[in-house]
Amino acid sequence: MFSRPVRLLSTVGLCLAAIWPGARPVSAQNDLDAFMKQVVARRDDNWKKLQQYILDEREQIDLRGTNCRAIWGDRREYTWYIRDGFFVRSPLKFNGVTIGEDERRTFEADYLRRAQERDKRAGRGRVGVDLKDGVSVESASATGTPEPAAPSDVRDVDGLIRQTREPQFISSAYFLRFKFEEGKYALVGRETLDGREVLRVEYFPARMFGGTDRRRTGKEPSAATKARDAEFQRLMNKVALVTLWIEPNAHQIVKYTFDNVGFDFLPAQWLVHVSDLKATMTVGQPFPDVWLPASLEANLAMTLAFGQFDLRYSLDYHDYRRPDVTSKVGIKER
């Protein structure tokens, strides 16, 4: 277990101006809380600042055993583009094999349908607004009219963003859906990250893990079940530490890491022992004043009766670009 630092600003008497010239003073814990409240509120603002852009994605997972021996791996490449006002994930290669056109079309159509249904379930996505001329237009998700098939190697990306729920490349990057919690932040100091001066803040959550993952059976959980769930969530929160690097003028998280520093409370330690879990997300600025995910990496180390295993998962979002009238979706020459 870790001891929480004694660097809470209520005991430090510093101000943010001394750490970051020109920024608003943060001289006490309540000022740091106010600052972090703005940071958390602005966390998801960026993905729809631009109404047209596309990007590429690489997804990779590797499982290694004793002596770093490779056991299993998977590598996939995608392109994201806007179709009927929704971001669509289009598969390009799986483990080096190019995805066929028919399979790609099927994947895209299914992805679009599910994205539209998510917006419908939220009571949104029935009417979109074309921000180019301010005219309200009804999307295909409301009319049920399927979009005409595009040519075999071209997808129309001239549409504007109409979806209201964040696309998967945003929700995957911001996998920590932490809530703002007063009094749970510690200002560590100023650092330089990728040429930018940023503030490093440590966050000790009390409510990150909540609710229940048990399947709904239509029956109210017993008091004993509720008590076990509550205790498990309390222990998970107790060992969690989130470190954030923040560009203070923009109130923008540019990187965060999630560490679970101990799992000794987990049951069945004789069967599996989780020794380390760490995840890191970084944000880049592919367009002026627009911050979007750049990478996500998660590492899990565990020991079973027959050896040590390490699992690594990574997402890389790259080549953000503004489309022309049409953009070719396919494998680019490397």
Side-chain angles (χ1 to χ4, degrees):
M1 297 296 176
F2 56 85
S3 59
R4 304 200 171 188
V6 203
R7 286 184 290 230
L8 292 176
L9 290 202
S10 54
T11 64
V12 176
L14 297 175
C15 65
L16 185 58
I19 297 174
W20 181 262
R24 174 180 177 272
V26 176
S27 55
Q29 182 64 47
N30 58 346
D31 294 308
L32 179 59
D33 287 339
F35 175 76
M36 288 305 302
K37 188 173 185 178
Q38 294 183 62
V39 170
V40 173
R42 293 198 58 184
R43 176 178 54 194
D44 303 326
D45 286 350
N46 280 275
W47 68 269
K48 50 188 174 182
K49 276 186 177 180
L50 289 179
Q51 286 296 302
Q52 292 175 306
Y53 60 94
I54 55 182
L55 64 141
D56 294 332
E57 173 193 337
R58 282 191 297 267
E59 182 181 36
Q60 181 172 328
I61 184 167
D62 288 292
L63 178 64
R64 295 182 177 272
T66 307
N67 298 323
C68 296
R69 179 172 56 88
I71 297 176
W72 175 77
D74 189 70
R75 289 157 179 77
R76 304 190 178 201
E77 299 179 29
Y78 301 88
T79 284
W80 290 84
Y81 71 97
I82 300 172
R83 172 176 166 182
D84 191 31
F86 286 75
F87 275 102
V88 170
R89 194 186 196 200
S90 176
L92 302 180
K93 286 184 177 182
F94 286 179
N95 295 318
V97 178
T98 301
I99 302 301
E101 182 62 25
D102 290 342
E103 187 178 356
R104 179 149 53 93
R105 282 191 182 188
T106 300
F107 185 101
E108 292 173 0
D110 182 63
Y111 193 96
L112 175 61
R113 176 186 56 78
R114 288 185 282 111
Q116 291 170 335
E117 287 176 352
R118 282 195 297 269
D119 263 29
K120 279 185 176 181
R121 285 196 299 269
R124 300 172 295 189
R126 293 183 177 275
V127 176
V129 176
D130 187 331
L131 299 182
K132 185 180 294 184
D133 55 18
V135 177
S136 177
V137 291
E138 192 173 15
S139 70
S141 61
T143 63
T145 304
E147 183 176 336
S152 61
D153 61 351
V154 174
R155 298 292 184 269
D156 181 11
V157 292
D158 196 34
L160 304 178
I161 299 173
R162 298 193 186 109
Q163 71 184 92
T164 53
R165 295 191 62 173
E166 62 187 19
Q168 183 183 327
F169 69 89
I170 298 294
S171 57
S172 294
Y174 285 102
F175 62 95
L176 287 181
R177 308 304 300 172
F178 51 84
K179 305 175 180 67
F180 168 71
E181 296 185 67
E182 291 187 13
K184 299 299 181 180
Y185 303 97
L187 177 61
V188 177
R190 182 179 65 181
E191 296 184 4
T192 300
L193 183 66
D194 295 332
R196 296 186 182 92
E197 290 193 76
V198 296
L199 300 180
R200 178 174 173 174
V201 174
E202 291 183 349
Y203 165 48
F204 304 94
R207 295 185 290 111
M208 178 180 295
F209 299 97
T212 178
D213 291 330
R214 298 178 182 274
R215 295 180 181 272
R216 295 183 179 181
T217 60
K219 298 181 180 179
E220 182 68 19
S222 66
T225 297
K226 290 181 178 179
R228 283 196 301 269
D229 287 348
E231 178 64 8
F232 182 80
Q233 292 155 15
R234 185 189 69 82
L235 292 170
M236 287 295 290
N237 282 311
K238 185 176 180 180
V239 300
L241 167 64
V242 180
T243 305
L244 306 105
W245 288 262
I246 301 166
E247 203 290 330
N249 292 327
H251 293 86
Q252 174 63 48
I253 299 171
V254 297
K255 176 182 177 181
Y256 68 72
T257 61
F258 169 74
D259 292 273
N260 269 114
V261 296
F263 290 93
D264 294 339
F265 64 90
L266 291 176
Q269 292 285 319
W270 58 271
L271 178 62
V272 56
H273 174 69
V274 178
S275 55
D276 185 52
L277 172 61
K278 182 172 183 177
T280 301
M281 190 275 288
T282 60
V283 172
Q285 199 173 19
F287 308 104
D289 196 36
V290 177
W291 303 81
L292 292 167
S295 65
L296 165 67
E297 181 174 326
N299 294 278
L300 172 67
M302 54 188 173
T303 304
L304 303 179
F306 42 88
Q308 171 79 29
F309 294 88
D310 295 286
L311 182 67
R312 178 181 180 271
Y313 176 78
S314 65
L315 285 172
D316 177 35
Y317 299 110
H318 60 101
D319 200 13
Y320 285 91
R321 56 207 182 271
R322 298 293 298 268
D324 297 323
V325 176
T326 58
S327 179
K328 190 171 184 177
V329 177
I331 304 301
K332 297 183 294 184
E333 295 296 330
R334 301 294 182 191

